[in-house]
Amino acid sequence: MRIELMVNKNNVPQDVFCQVEHEFCRRMAIYWPDALVRVRLGGANELNVLGGLKEDKQHVESQLEAMFDEADDWLEQPSYDM
């Protein structure tokens, strides 16, 4: 199975993108350790699940939604010390 997540490059700074990539890959490896997971920057937000069942895509979508719902727990915000 192949899981591809495209993140809109206009909405996400590079440091945040790296955190999203890491967290998404980590979460997908829990359920599909043999899946090829790719996260990339693009012109829109898009999720593709290839070679899996319909239920797999629904599960990936729910995991992605949970990941962003829990972003306060894993997303490190830059500190602006002055």
Side-chain angles (χ1 to χ4, degrees), residues 3 23 27 57-60 63 65 72 77:
I3 304 168
E23 184 66 15
R27 288 177 184 242
K57 181 167 185 176
Q58 292 170 342
H59 192 86
V60 171
Q63 287 299 312
E65 183 177 345
D72 290 340
Q77 299 295 326

Side-chain angles (χ1 to χ4, degrees), residues 7-17 20 41-45 68:
V7 180
N8 188 333
K9 64 184 172 188
N10 298 319
N11 298 337
V12 179
Q14 184 63 39
D15 60 328
V16 173
F17 171 76
V20 169
L41 289 170
N45 293 322
F68 282 108

Side-chain angles (χ1 to χ4, degrees), residues 48-60:
N48 290 308
V49 179
L50 307 166
L53 302 172
K54 182 178 180 181
E55 292 80 18
D56 289 332
K57 181 167 185 176
Q58 292 170 342
H59 192 86
V60 171

Side-chain angles (χ1 to χ4, degrees), residues 10-53:
N10 298 319
N11 298 337
V12 179
Q14 184 63 39
D15 60 328
V16 173
F17 171 76
C18 292
Q19 293 178 61
V20 169
E21 178 182 34
H22 173 76
E23 184 66 15
F24 185 73
C25 290
R26 184 188 74 77
R27 288 177 184 242
M28 295 303 103
I30 293 170
Y31 297 99
W32 301 279
D34 296 331
L36 174 62
V37 179
R38 180 177 179 211
V39 182
R40 63 187 176 98
L41 289 170
N45 293 322
E46 186 177 328
L47 176 66
N48 290 308
V49 179
L50 307 166
L53 302 172

